[in-house]
Amino acid sequence: MHLMYLLFFAGAGCYYPYIAVYFANRNLNYLQIGVAFAFNSLVTVLSQPVWGYVTDKYLSKKKTLLI
């Protein structure tokens, strides 16, 4: 289980800093890039309580992590 966390966050650490560069190469302006990053943050904040409720109510924590 800890290896999964390590691999996930190592992968995210490798590609996340270059997402803005990728968006710029796709001819998005700075406002569009900012909205994309803000949307990512908004989805993260809103999905955490939902997944917490689903985990507590219906699934075990291990099954939720695998999903």
Side-chain angles (χ1 to χ4, degrees), residues 29-45:
N29 63 24
Y30 293 112
L31 179 65
Q32 293 169 327
I33 294 171
V35 168
F37 278 111
F39 182 73
N40 181 27
S41 299
L42 181 67
V43 168
T44 302
V45 167

Side-chain angles (χ1 to χ4, degrees), residues 2-51:
H2 297 291
L3 181 62
M4 183 176 72
Y5 284 127
L6 176 69
L7 293 176
F8 175 78
F9 287 111
C14 289
Y15 81 85
Y16 194 75
Y18 298 106
I19 291 176
V21 176
Y22 172 75
F23 285 156
N25 286 333
R26 302 287 296 183
N27 296 324
L28 275 76
N29 63 24
Y30 293 112
L31 179 65
Q32 293 169 327
I33 294 171
V35 168
F37 278 111
F39 182 73
N40 181 27
S41 299
L42 181 67
V43 168
T44 302
V45 167
L46 294 177
S47 66
Q48 288 177 356
V50 173
W51 276 110

